[in-house]
Amino acid sequence: MSRVPTIQFNVLVLPIPDEIDGVLATVKDSIDGKNDKLYVLAQDTDGNVTGMIGLMPPSDKMKSYTSGNAVEIINAYISPDSQRQGVGTFLLEQLFTHAKDNGITEIDVNSEPRYQESGWPFWNEHFGNPVTLQKDQYGPGRDAPIWHKHLT
């Protein structure tokens, strides 16, 4: 995999430690073939992971927003030192290529409100404006915008 250099950047929001533990367990299960998720990682020149993003078949809630052969983006994280350095774009491009190569025609993503300042601008940049809002997705009053992209 290509390596992406890192440059210091101040992080806006960090994932919750329990969230990270759960995602790492899911990544391990993916490597062991125990789930239907795919993860792509980026590393810097020293071999440190600078970002991660995953794909899975759309969850039941996300299926209603798709009309073709779709996948859902999950667990997108970029190291605080690597944010705004192209790592997320690199990872997204890898997912798009993999999806197209495997006959996927649509990609959807939703994002928790606590990532409004850090993640939502990224999704807006790469997917355009959200197509809808998933009411109470992350608990009462914690609505999640949904972005949708047709792959060409």
Side-chain angles (χ1 to χ4, degrees):
M1 175 166 292
S2 300
R3 299 186 190 278
V4 178
T6 61
I7 299 172
Q8 181 67 32
F9 181 77
N10 294 328
V11 67
L12 299 172
V13 175
L14 286 173
I16 299 167
D18 287 347
E19 176 182 325
I20 294 170
D21 292 342
V23 170
L24 289 175
T26 301
V27 171
K28 182 179 181 324
D29 285 350
S30 174
I31 293 167
D32 294 340
K34 294 180 180 177
N35 63 37
D36 56 1
K37 296 169 177 64
L38 168 80
Y39 288 91
V40 179
L41 305 174
Q43 296 177 310
D44 64 15
T45 55
D46 296 325
N48 300 309
V49 174
T50 57
M52 175 185 87
I53 192 168
L55 281 181
M56 69 177 213
S59 63
D60 289 340
K61 287 184 179 181
M62 295 292 278
K63 282 181 185 175
S64 63
Y65 305 106
T66 64
S67 60
N69 190 11
V71 291
E72 178 180 345
I73 290 177
I74 55 169
N75 310 125
Y77 300 107
I78 306 301
S79 158
D81 293 344
S82 300
Q83 291 181 0
R84 301 192 195 250
Q85 304 305 315
V87 174
T89 299
F90 167 78
L91 290 170
L92 200 56
E93 289 170 355
Q94 300 306 306
L95 287 186
F96 288 167
T97 298
H98 173 79
K100 287 182 203 177
D101 289 349
N102 286 279
I104 302 299
T105 58
E106 301 175 18
I107 294 185
D108 294 298
V109 64
N110 74 67
S111 183
E112 185 172 351
R114 66 190 174 94
Y115 295 115
Q116 184 172 356
E117 298 297 321
S118 59
W120 293 10
F122 178 81
W123 300 121
N124 283 333
E125 177 183 341
H126 293 281
F127 283 68
N129 291 326
V131 294
T132 191
L133 195 65
Q134 215 168 29
K135 197 85 173 121
D136 301 324
Q137 170 65 20
Y138 293 97
R142 296 179 67 191
D143 305 337
I146 295 176
W147 291 266
H148 181 84
K149 184 172 186 74
H150 288 278
L151 299 176
T152 55

